[in-house]
Amino acid sequence: MEHRELGDSGVEVSTVGFGAWVVGTDWWGDRGEQESIDLVQHALDQGVTFFDTGDVYGHGCSEELIGEALAEHRDEVTIASKVGYDFYNNPQAGHGEIPKEMTPEYIHEAVDKSLDRLDMDHLDLLHLHNADVDEVDEDVLAAIDELRESGKVDAISWALGPSIGWLAEGDAAIANEFDALQVVFNVFEQTPGAHFMETIDDLDASTSILARVPHSSGLLNEQVRPETELGEGDHRGFRPDEWYDTGWEKVEKLRFLERDGERTMGQAAIQWLLAYDDVASVTPTFRTTDDVDEWAAAPDTPALSDEELDRVADLHARDYDIERDDGMAGFRSSVDGSDLEAVGATYAGD
Protein backbone atom coordinates (compact mmCIF):
# COMPACT_ATOMS: atom_id res chain seq x y z
CA MET A 1 0.00 0.00 0.00
CA GLU A 2 1.36 3.40 -1.00
CA HIS A 3 1.28 6.30 1.49
CA ARG A 4 1.09 10.02 0.76
CA GLU A 5 1.57 13.06 2.97
CA LEU A 6 -1.22 15.48 3.82
CA GLY A 7 0.11 18.83 2.70
CA ASP A 8 3.32 19.61 4.59
CA SER A 9 1.96 18.29 7.88
CA GLY A 10 4.13 15.21 8.17
CA VAL A 11 0.95 13.14 8.58
CA GLU A 12 0.82 10.25 6.10
CA VAL A 13 -2.24 8.35 4.92
CA SER A 14 -2.65 5.12 3.00
CA THR A 15 -3.79 5.87 -0.54
CA VAL A 16 -6.88 3.78 0.13
CA GLY A 17 -8.53 4.79 3.38
CA PHE A 18 -11.50 3.53 5.37
CA GLY A 19 -14.51 5.86 5.32
CA ALA A 20 -16.05 4.98 8.68
CA TRP A 21 -19.49 6.50 8.32
CA VAL A 22 -20.53 2.93 7.52
CA VAL A 23 -19.45 2.01 11.07
CA GLY A 24 -22.01 2.75 13.75
CA THR A 25 -24.74 3.93 11.35
CA ASP A 26 -27.47 2.26 9.32
CA TRP A 27 -27.28 4.52 6.28
CA TRP A 28 -25.82 1.69 4.21
CA GLY A 29 -27.89 -1.06 5.80
CA ASP A 30 -27.71 -2.36 9.34
CA ARG A 31 -24.77 -4.30 10.81
CA GLY A 32 -23.78 -5.44 14.27
CA GLU A 33 -21.03 -3.82 16.30
CA GLN A 34 -18.76 -6.86 16.15
CA GLU A 35 -19.22 -7.03 12.39
CA SER A 36 -18.06 -3.43 12.15
CA ILE A 37 -15.02 -4.07 14.34
CA ASP A 38 -14.12 -7.15 12.30
CA LEU A 39 -14.40 -5.15 9.08
CA VAL A 40 -12.08 -2.42 10.39
CA GLN A 41 -9.51 -4.95 11.55
CA HIS A 42 -9.70 -6.80 8.23
CA ALA A 43 -8.99 -3.53 6.42
CA LEU A 44 -5.92 -3.01 8.60
CA ASP A 45 -4.75 -6.51 7.73
CA GLN A 46 -5.02 -5.58 4.04
CA GLY A 47 -2.78 -2.55 4.41
CA VAL A 48 -5.35 0.19 5.05
CA THR A 49 -3.92 2.49 7.73
CA PHE A 50 -6.06 5.63 7.30
CA PHE A 51 -9.40 5.53 9.14
CA ASP A 52 -11.73 8.48 8.72
CA THR A 53 -14.67 8.79 11.10
CA GLY A 54 -16.82 11.61 12.50
CA ASP A 55 -18.43 12.42 15.82
CA VAL A 56 -21.91 12.65 14.31
CA TYR A 57 -21.73 9.18 12.73
CA GLY A 58 -24.06 7.17 14.91
CA HIS A 59 -23.83 10.04 17.40
CA GLY A 60 -20.45 8.91 18.67
CA CYS A 61 -20.90 5.19 18.02
CA SER A 62 -18.56 5.13 15.02
CA GLU A 63 -15.75 6.71 17.02
CA GLU A 64 -16.24 4.25 19.87
CA LEU A 65 -16.08 1.26 17.52
CA ILE A 66 -13.06 2.62 15.63
CA GLY A 67 -11.30 3.19 18.92
CA GLU A 68 -12.06 -0.32 20.11
CA ALA A 69 -11.05 -1.94 16.84
CA LEU A 70 -7.72 -0.12 16.63
CA ALA A 71 -6.81 0.16 20.31
CA GLU A 72 -3.82 -2.15 19.98
CA HIS A 73 -2.62 -0.56 16.74
CA ARG A 74 -2.56 3.17 17.50
CA ASP A 75 1.03 3.64 16.35
CA GLU A 76 0.30 1.90 13.05
CA VAL A 77 -2.66 3.98 11.92
CA THR A 78 -3.75 7.49 11.02
CA ILE A 79 -7.04 8.51 12.63
CA ALA A 80 -9.26 11.34 11.44
CA SER A 81 -12.52 12.59 12.88
CA LYS A 82 -14.94 15.41 12.19
CA VAL A 83 -16.64 17.97 14.43
CA GLY A 84 -19.24 20.63 13.77
CA TYR A 85 -22.70 19.07 14.06
CA ASP A 86 -24.27 19.61 17.47
CA PHE A 87 -25.96 16.25 17.90
CA TYR A 88 -25.60 16.63 21.66
CA ASN A 89 -28.48 19.11 21.77
CA ASN A 90 -30.38 18.23 18.60
CA PRO A 91 -32.03 14.93 17.66
CA GLN A 92 -31.35 13.34 14.28
CA ALA A 93 -34.41 13.48 12.03
CA GLY A 94 -33.91 10.67 9.52
CA HIS A 95 -31.18 11.66 7.05
CA GLY A 96 -31.81 15.36 7.48
CA GLU A 97 -29.09 17.79 8.44
CA ILE A 98 -28.97 18.78 12.11
CA PRO A 99 -27.81 22.21 13.31
CA LYS A 100 -24.10 22.98 13.23
CA GLU A 101 -21.97 24.69 15.85
CA MET A 102 -18.61 26.15 14.85
CA THR A 103 -17.64 28.34 17.79
CA PRO A 104 -14.13 27.95 19.26
CA GLU A 105 -15.61 26.76 22.55
CA TYR A 106 -17.70 24.09 20.87
CA ILE A 107 -14.82 22.85 18.70
CA HIS A 108 -12.55 22.44 21.73
CA GLU A 109 -15.27 20.60 23.65
CA ALA A 110 -16.22 18.39 20.69
CA VAL A 111 -12.60 17.36 20.08
CA ASP A 112 -12.20 16.39 23.73
CA LYS A 113 -15.35 14.27 23.57
CA SER A 114 -14.18 12.62 20.36
CA LEU A 115 -10.85 11.74 21.96
CA ASP A 116 -12.68 10.27 24.95
CA ARG A 117 -14.80 8.05 22.69
CA LEU A 118 -11.81 6.98 20.62
CA ASP A 119 -9.80 6.48 23.84
CA MET A 120 -6.88 8.28 22.20
CA ASP A 121 -4.78 11.27 23.23
CA HIS A 122 -4.69 12.98 19.82
CA LEU A 123 -6.22 13.05 16.36
CA ASP A 124 -3.88 12.74 13.41
CA LEU A 125 -6.38 14.75 11.37
CA LEU A 126 -9.30 16.97 12.38
CA HIS A 127 -11.99 17.88 9.85
CA LEU A 128 -14.37 20.80 10.17
CA HIS A 129 -17.55 19.02 9.14
CA ASN A 130 -19.51 20.83 6.41
CA ALA A 131 -18.63 24.24 7.84
CA ASP A 132 -20.05 27.20 5.93
CA VAL A 133 -17.43 29.63 4.70
CA ASP A 134 -18.66 32.44 6.95
CA GLU A 135 -18.49 30.21 10.04
CA VAL A 136 -14.75 29.74 9.85
CA ASP A 137 -13.58 33.12 11.05
CA GLU A 138 -10.33 34.22 12.70
CA ASP A 139 -11.49 32.93 16.08
CA VAL A 140 -12.14 29.46 14.67
CA LEU A 141 -8.79 29.42 12.90
CA ALA A 142 -7.13 30.43 16.17
CA ALA A 143 -8.92 27.61 17.99
CA ILE A 144 -7.59 25.12 15.46
CA ASP A 145 -4.07 26.45 15.96
CA GLU A 146 -4.51 26.04 19.71
CA LEU A 147 -5.51 22.40 19.23
CA ARG A 148 -2.40 21.77 17.16
CA GLU A 149 -0.15 23.56 19.63
CA SER A 150 -1.60 21.50 22.47
CA GLY A 151 -0.82 18.25 20.66
CA LYS A 152 -4.46 17.18 20.41
CA VAL A 153 -4.49 17.57 16.62
CA ASP A 154 -1.66 17.04 14.13
CA ALA A 155 -3.28 18.21 10.87
CA ILE A 156 -6.47 19.98 9.82
CA SER A 157 -8.97 19.50 7.03
CA TRP A 158 -12.26 20.91 5.82
CA ALA A 159 -14.81 18.23 4.92
CA LEU A 160 -17.22 19.53 2.30
CA GLY A 161 -20.90 18.64 1.78
CA PRO A 162 -20.78 19.49 -1.05
CA SER A 163 -24.53 19.82 -1.59
CA ILE A 164 -24.47 21.82 1.65
CA GLY A 165 -21.77 24.17 0.38
CA TRP A 166 -18.48 23.50 -1.29
CA LEU A 167 -16.78 25.91 -3.67
CA ALA A 168 -16.23 28.96 -1.46
CA GLU A 169 -15.51 26.64 1.46
CA GLY A 170 -12.87 24.64 -0.37
CA ASP A 171 -11.19 27.72 -1.78
CA ALA A 172 -11.07 29.18 1.75
CA ALA A 173 -9.48 26.00 3.11
CA ILE A 174 -6.76 26.15 0.47
CA ALA A 175 -6.18 29.88 0.98
CA ASN A 176 -5.89 29.33 4.75
CA GLU A 177 -3.36 26.54 4.24
CA PHE A 178 -5.45 23.66 5.55
CA ASP A 179 -3.50 20.42 5.22
CA ALA A 180 -6.36 18.62 3.50
CA LEU A 181 -9.69 19.09 1.83
CA GLN A 182 -12.25 16.29 1.70
CA VAL A 183 -14.74 16.35 -1.14
CA VAL A 184 -16.87 14.09 -3.30
CA PHE A 185 -14.72 13.34 -6.32
CA ASN A 186 -15.08 10.53 -8.83
CA VAL A 187 -15.15 9.76 -12.54
CA PHE A 188 -18.77 10.91 -12.80
CA GLU A 189 -18.54 13.88 -10.41
CA GLN A 190 -15.34 15.61 -11.45
CA THR A 191 -16.19 19.29 -11.03
CA PRO A 192 -15.22 19.79 -7.34
CA GLY A 193 -11.90 18.00 -7.55
CA ALA A 194 -10.91 19.65 -10.82
CA HIS A 195 -11.72 23.10 -9.46
CA PHE A 196 -9.76 22.62 -6.26
CA MET A 197 -6.72 21.19 -8.01
CA GLU A 198 -6.72 24.33 -10.14
CA THR A 199 -6.96 26.49 -7.00
CA ILE A 200 -4.11 24.57 -5.37
CA ASP A 201 -2.00 25.15 -8.46
CA ASP A 202 -2.92 28.84 -8.74
CA LEU A 203 -2.04 29.50 -5.08
CA ASP A 204 0.99 27.20 -5.11
CA ALA A 205 -0.59 25.57 -2.06
CA SER A 206 0.29 22.26 -0.42
CA THR A 207 -3.28 21.25 0.49
CA SER A 208 -4.06 17.62 -0.29
CA ILE A 209 -7.38 16.28 -1.54
CA LEU A 210 -9.16 13.40 0.18
CA ALA A 211 -11.60 11.92 -2.31
CA ARG A 212 -14.78 10.47 -0.91
CA VAL A 213 -17.60 8.65 -2.74
CA PRO A 214 -15.06 7.39 -5.31
CA HIS A 215 -17.56 4.89 -6.65
CA SER A 216 -20.40 7.39 -7.05
CA SER A 217 -22.48 5.76 -4.32
CA GLY A 218 -22.25 2.25 -5.74
CA LEU A 219 -22.43 2.81 -9.49
CA LEU A 220 -18.74 2.54 -10.35
CA ASN A 221 -18.27 -0.60 -8.28
CA GLU A 222 -21.42 -2.04 -9.88
CA GLN A 223 -23.15 -2.64 -6.57
CA VAL A 224 -26.06 -0.48 -7.71
CA ARG A 225 -27.88 -1.23 -10.94
CA PRO A 226 -31.22 0.07 -12.24
CA GLU A 227 -32.94 -3.05 -10.91
CA THR A 228 -31.22 -3.01 -7.50
CA GLU A 229 -33.54 -3.10 -4.49
CA LEU A 230 -31.82 -1.23 -1.68
CA GLY A 231 -32.23 -2.20 1.94
CA GLU A 232 -34.43 -0.29 4.33
CA GLY A 233 -32.65 2.82 5.59
CA ASP A 234 -30.10 2.88 2.75
CA HIS A 235 -29.70 6.58 1.91
CA ARG A 236 -29.45 5.86 -1.82
CA GLY A 237 -33.04 4.71 -1.83
CA PHE A 238 -34.09 8.36 -1.77
CA ARG A 239 -32.57 9.09 -5.16
CA PRO A 240 -34.62 9.37 -8.35
CA ASP A 241 -34.82 6.44 -10.78
CA GLU A 242 -33.11 8.58 -13.42
CA TRP A 243 -29.94 8.63 -11.33
CA TYR A 244 -29.65 4.84 -11.53
CA ASP A 245 -30.49 4.61 -15.23
CA THR A 246 -28.14 7.39 -16.29
CA GLY A 247 -25.33 6.12 -14.09
CA TRP A 248 -25.49 2.63 -15.46
CA GLU A 249 -25.35 3.89 -19.04
CA LYS A 250 -22.19 5.78 -18.13
CA VAL A 251 -20.66 2.66 -16.57
CA GLU A 252 -21.19 0.76 -19.81
CA LYS A 253 -19.23 3.42 -21.67
CA LEU A 254 -16.31 2.99 -19.28
CA ARG A 255 -15.88 -0.74 -19.83
CA PHE A 256 -12.55 -0.10 -21.54
CA LEU A 257 -11.08 0.59 -18.09
CA GLU A 258 -11.52 -3.02 -17.03
CA ARG A 259 -8.70 -5.50 -17.54
CA ASP A 260 -9.78 -9.09 -17.13
CA GLY A 261 -8.02 -10.58 -14.14
CA GLU A 262 -5.93 -7.45 -13.60
CA ARG A 263 -8.26 -4.52 -12.83
CA THR A 264 -11.97 -4.33 -12.02
CA MET A 265 -14.17 -1.31 -12.64
CA GLY A 266 -14.14 -0.56 -8.92
CA GLN A 267 -10.34 -0.65 -8.88
CA ALA A 268 -10.12 1.48 -12.02
CA ALA A 269 -12.28 4.15 -10.38
CA ILE A 270 -9.74 4.35 -7.54
CA GLN A 271 -6.76 4.34 -9.89
CA TRP A 272 -8.32 7.20 -11.85
CA LEU A 273 -8.26 9.33 -8.69
CA LEU A 274 -4.77 8.27 -7.66
CA ALA A 275 -3.47 9.43 -11.04
CA TYR A 276 -3.69 12.95 -9.57
CA ASP A 277 -0.75 13.88 -7.36
CA ASP A 278 -2.95 16.22 -5.32
CA VAL A 279 -5.12 13.29 -4.19
CA ALA A 280 -3.60 11.85 -1.01
CA SER A 281 -6.19 9.19 -0.28
CA VAL A 282 -9.44 7.72 -1.54
CA THR A 283 -12.04 6.60 1.00
CA PRO A 284 -14.48 4.09 -0.48
CA THR A 285 -17.40 2.77 1.51
CA PHE A 286 -16.44 -0.73 2.56
CA ARG A 287 -19.42 -2.89 3.44
CA THR A 288 -17.95 -6.39 3.22
CA THR A 289 -14.57 -8.06 3.48
CA ASP A 290 -14.78 -8.70 -0.26
CA ASP A 291 -14.99 -4.94 -0.79
CA VAL A 292 -11.89 -4.49 1.34
CA ASP A 293 -9.96 -7.18 -0.51
CA GLU A 294 -10.77 -5.69 -3.91
CA TRP A 295 -10.36 -1.98 -3.26
CA ALA A 296 -7.39 -2.12 -0.88
CA ALA A 297 -5.59 -3.90 -3.72
CA ALA A 298 -6.45 -1.16 -6.23
CA PRO A 299 -3.08 0.67 -5.96
CA ASP A 300 -1.34 -2.57 -6.94
CA THR A 301 -3.31 -2.90 -10.19
CA PRO A 302 -2.09 -1.36 -13.47
CA ALA A 303 -2.21 2.42 -13.35
CA LEU A 304 -4.43 4.06 -15.95
CA SER A 305 -2.56 4.89 -19.13
CA ASP A 306 -2.49 8.38 -20.63
CA GLU A 307 -4.77 7.11 -23.37
CA GLU A 308 -7.30 5.80 -20.85
CA LEU A 309 -7.21 9.06 -18.89
CA ASP A 310 -7.76 11.02 -22.10
CA ARG A 311 -10.74 8.85 -23.07
CA VAL A 312 -12.32 9.41 -19.65
CA ALA A 313 -11.80 13.16 -19.97
CA ASP A 314 -13.37 13.19 -23.43
CA LEU A 315 -16.42 11.22 -22.27
CA HIS A 316 -16.90 13.53 -19.32
CA ALA A 317 -16.63 16.62 -21.50
CA ARG A 318 -19.42 15.22 -23.70
CA ASP A 319 -21.48 14.16 -20.66
CA TYR A 320 -21.14 10.62 -21.96
CA ASP A 321 -23.41 11.54 -24.91
CA ILE A 322 -26.43 11.00 -22.65
CA GLU A 323 -29.20 13.57 -22.97
CA ARG A 324 -31.40 12.27 -20.16
CA ASP A 325 -31.33 14.33 -16.97
CA ASP A 326 -30.28 12.25 -13.95
CA GLY A 327 -32.73 14.01 -11.64
CA MET A 328 -29.92 15.45 -9.51
CA ALA A 329 -29.45 18.79 -11.23
CA GLY A 330 -30.22 20.99 -8.22
CA PHE A 331 -27.49 22.18 -5.91
CA ARG A 332 -27.20 24.16 -2.73
CA SER A 333 -24.39 26.39 -1.55
CA SER A 334 -23.71 28.26 1.64
CA VAL A 335 -23.45 31.42 -0.43
CA ASP A 336 -26.65 30.79 -2.39
CA GLY A 337 -24.89 29.45 -5.44
CA SER A 338 -23.27 32.74 -6.41
CA ASP A 339 -19.81 31.19 -6.09
CA LEU A 340 -20.82 28.38 -8.44
CA GLU A 341 -22.35 30.72 -10.96
CA ALA A 342 -19.23 32.86 -10.96
CA VAL A 343 -17.12 29.98 -12.27
CA GLY A 344 -19.85 28.41 -14.39
CA ALA A 345 -20.01 25.31 -12.23
CA THR A 346 -22.91 23.13 -11.18
CA TYR A 347 -22.87 20.14 -8.94
CA ALA A 348 -25.66 17.78 -8.01
CA GLY A 349 -24.45 16.94 -4.53
CA ASP A 350 -23.58 13.66 -2.89
Side-chain angles (χ1 to χ4, degrees), residues 119-139:
D119 195 21
M120 296 175 181
D121 61 6
H122 76 283
L123 287 172
D124 300 293
L125 179 66
L126 171 67
H127 300 275
L128 298 185
H129 201 176
N130 290 345
D132 290 347
V133 67
D134 58 359
E135 293 175 324
V136 184
D137 56 20
E138 292 301 320
D139 291 338

Side-chain angles (χ1 to χ4, degrees), residues 44-210:
L44 181 62
D45 290 340
Q46 301 308 308
V48 176
T49 59
F50 174 44
F51 295 87
D52 181 30
T53 186
D55 64 357
V56 75
Y57 300 160
H59 289 193
C61 182
S62 180
E63 289 179 324
E64 291 173 352
L65 293 175
I66 290 292
E68 182 177 349
L70 299 175
E72 298 180 4
H73 305 278
R74 183 63 182 98
D75 293 339
E76 305 167 35
V77 296
T78 300
I79 304 295
S81 195
K82 306 175 182 71
V83 300
Y85 281 108
D86 183 11
F87 62 91
Y88 300 102
N89 298 302
N90 300 279
Q92 182 82 45
H95 292 173
E97 187 184 17
I98 60 178
K100 286 178 288 184
E101 183 68 54
M102 286 290 172
T103 63
E105 296 78 16
Y106 180 84
I107 291 171
H108 275 284
E109 182 180 357
V111 167
D112 286 341
K113 290 180 177 178
S114 287
L115 291 174
D116 285 343
R117 286 189 291 266
L118 288 161
D119 195 21
M120 296 175 181
D121 61 6
H122 76 283
L123 287 172
D124 300 293
L125 179 66
L126 171 67
H127 300 275
L128 298 185
H129 201 176
N130 290 345
D132 290 347
V133 67
D134 58 359
E135 293 175 324
V136 184
D137 56 20
E138 292 301 320
D139 291 338
V140 169
L141 294 174
I144 293 171
D145 286 339
E146 290 167 3
L147 287 167
R148 287 201 282 195
E149 290 168 4
S150 70
K152 292 181 181 179
V153 171
D154 293 335
I156 60 168
S157 171
W158 199 323
L160 308 184
S163 57
I164 297 164
W166 65 273
L167 193 147
E169 287 73 13
D171 284 349
I174 297 167
N176 282 287
E177 300 180 337
F178 276 51
D179 300 299
L181 182 62
Q182 186 174 62
V183 64
V184 171
F185 188 18
N186 58 62
V187 174
F188 293 162
E189 298 159 300
Q190 298 185 25
T191 301
H195 174 83
F196 294 132
M197 287 190 292
E198 182 177 344
T199 302
I200 290 168
D201 185 60
D202 289 345
L203 298 181
D204 193 25
S206 62
T207 304
S208 296
I209 291 177
L210 299 172

Side-chain angles (χ1 to χ4, degrees), residues 161-163 166 183-195 197 211-220 239 243 250 254 272-273 276 312 316 319-320 326 328 346-350:
S163 57
W166 65 273
V183 64
V184 171
F185 188 18
N186 58 62
V187 174
F188 293 162
E189 298 159 300
Q190 298 185 25
T191 301
H195 174 83
M197 287 190 292
R212 69 181 183 90
V213 199
H215 293 127
S216 193
S217 299
L219 292 171
L220 286 161
R239 298 193 174 201
W243 177 77
K250 292 180 180 180
L254 290 172
W272 179 82
L273 287 160
Y276 294 105
V312 171
H316 181 73
D319 200 20
Y320 293 80
D326 67 0
M328 299 279 288
T346 60
Y347 184 62
D350 53 357

